[in-house]
Amino acid sequence: MVKKGFAQLEQIRIVELTHEQKKYAVQQGNADLLLFTKYTKRRKTTELEAKAKDAIRDLDRTKKSQAAATEKAASEVTAARKTADLEKRQFERIRDQLGKCEVKAPAAGIVIYFKRPWDESARIRPGGQVFFQQPIFTLPDLSQMKVKMKVHETVVKKVKAGLGCTMKIDALPGQVLHGKVVSVATLAQGDDWRGGGVKEYETTISIDDMPTEAGLRPGMSAEVKILVKTVPGALTVPVQAVTEAGGRHVCYIATGDKVEQREVTVGDGNDQLIQVVAGLSAGDRVALDARNRAAAELGTPSTPTPPAALGSPAPK
């Protein structure tokens, strides 16, 4: 058209520029396509695959977490039910015990409250606290009273069940009651810091001839004598009349105005009397300060005692 003169040369330049622009645009598009195909697609694919894997892992983690939470909730529900059952049973037990707080005696009599001598806090009193299997009180049978005494360890081997006893009760002056040894404790009592190391064994004594209207009460005092041995026709003197001198037992006999030492053979005894097997005769008068006299003869000091006295004929 330019050669024939129908178009201007500038139009050719415009078309050529347009063509160059389109060609550049195509090259740019090809370059973008190549970049997208070779790099962007691979990066996007890798990124999306990683996100997909992360999403799968998150889903699996969420499922496991939810399963654990569900199991925990189920365990808590089970534990709560068991706790509720336990509390319900405890409530029923406490309610049942509440109905037993009022204690009634099965018969008329007196009530002895439980008390530990060494623990004042355990004393039964209003507002006090009691514990499981703690004794609260006892109901003594006043028609079947017994005596409890403590026997020293030095003589406990002589005491056996069945031995006869005599007793004097302060509440029954002038009366002598009789009984027997019922039991002797196996373990010592009172071996604590207040007992000074003294070991005593609790012994129970029955009362065989208690008067019907004796009116005895728990806690009363009694003097008990246990007949551990009987020696018929024994010659006895007070324990103050016998002492040991030079490895032998001696007595001091009053003959007229003089007092002479005499060797004797002793047998059984108690805290008041001692048996003389040989060396004395019935009717002999003995001095009651044998220890002082023996100490004076040996020239050693002794514990002062009342003036010497002459004993009456020794009882059998």
Side-chain angles (χ1 to χ4, degrees):
M1 292 297 291
V2 172
K3 290 179 179 180
K4 292 181 177 182
F6 294 107
Q8 297 294 328
L9 183 60
E10 289 77 4
Q11 294 180 342
I12 295 176
R13 297 297 181 192
I14 293 174
V15 173
E16 288 178 350
L17 290 174
T18 303
H19 176 265
E20 291 296 332
Q21 290 178 352
K22 296 297 183 180
K23 184 178 178 180
Y24 177 77
V26 171
Q27 292 178 351
Q28 186 67 34
N30 289 333
D32 291 340
L33 178 60
L34 179 62
L35 178 63
F36 180 80
T37 304
K38 192 172 182 180
Y39 299 103
T40 305
K41 179 182 179 181
R42 184 180 300 174
R43 181 177 61 82
K44 288 290 185 181
T45 302
T46 304
E47 182 180 352
L48 293 176
E49 288 177 351
K51 289 183 178 180
K53 292 180 180 179
D54 289 341
I56 293 174
R57 285 193 293 268
D58 290 341
L59 177 61
D60 184 57
R61 190 163 47 248
T62 303
K63 288 181 179 180
K64 291 181 179 179
S65 176
Q66 290 301 320
T70 303
E71 184 177 358
K72 180 180 178 181
S75 300
E76 291 178 351
V77 171
T78 303
R81 289 177 178 175
K82 291 182 178 179
T83 302
D85 292 339
L86 291 175
E87 291 180 350
K88 184 177 179 180
R89 288 197 295 269
Q90 185 177 6
F91 171 74
E92 295 294 338
R93 183 176 63 84
I94 293 176
R95 186 168 63 179
D96 181 63
Q97 290 180 353
L98 185 62
K100 299 178 181 178
C101 287
E102 183 178 353
V103 182
K104 296 182 179 180
I110 62 175
V111 172
I112 305 298
Y113 287 104
F114 173 76
K115 179 181 178 182
R116 293 191 183 99
W118 64 89
D119 187 6
E120 185 64 23
S121 62
R123 181 172 60 88
I124 302 300
R125 61 187 184 277
Q129 184 177 3
V130 295
F131 303 93
F132 179 64
Q133 292 187 346
Q134 174 186 349
I136 300 177
F137 56 82
T138 57
L139 303 174
D141 186 357
L142 301 182
S143 63
Q144 299 181 5
M145 299 292 288
K146 296 181 180 179
V147 179
K148 283 187 177 180
M149 60 178 296
K150 293 182 178 180
V151 178
H152 195 269
E153 60 181 336
T154 57
V155 294
V156 70
K157 63 182 179 181
K158 299 180 181 180
V159 181
K160 297 179 176 58
L163 291 178
C165 306
T166 60
M167 63 200 77
K168 294 181 180 179
I169 301 177
D170 296 345
L172 300 175
Q175 296 189 32
V176 177
L177 303 181
H178 301 81
K180 291 183 177 62
V181 177
V182 177
S183 63
V184 181
T186 304
L187 299 178
Q189 303 290 328
D191 188 15
D192 55 10
W193 63 273
R194 290 177 295 184
V198 177
K199 293 182 174 58
E200 296 176 323
Y201 293 80
E202 187 175 272
T203 303
T204 304
I205 310 297
S206 65
I207 305 177
D208 298 338
D209 55 354
M210 184 175 64
T212 306
E213 302 297 331
L216 299 184
R217 294 290 186 271
M220 289 183 174
S221 301
E223 178 185 351
V224 181
K225 293 183 179 180
I226 302 176
L227 307 179
V228 297
K229 186 177 181 180
T230 301
V231 182
L235 179 64
T236 60
V237 295
V239 293
Q240 300 92 334
V242 181
T243 188
E244 187 174 353
R248 54 196 180 94
H249 291 91
V250 297
C251 283
Y252 288 87
I253 310 301
T255 56
D257 296 335
K258 297 181 180 181
V259 178
E260 64 178 10
Q261 184 187 98
R262 185 180 300 178
E263 182 179 357
V264 295
T265 304
V266 299
D268 293 324
N270 53 29
D271 57 347
Q272 296 178 355
L273 300 174
I274 186 169
Q275 179 189 6
V276 178
V277 179
L280 289 181
S281 300
D284 289 341
R285 301 177 63 211
V286 295
L288 299 182
D289 57 350
R291 179 176 298 179
N292 288 347
R293 292 179 182 273
E297 291 178 357
L298 295 176
T300 58
S302 61
T303 303
T305 58
L310 296 180
S312 59
K316 294 185 180 179

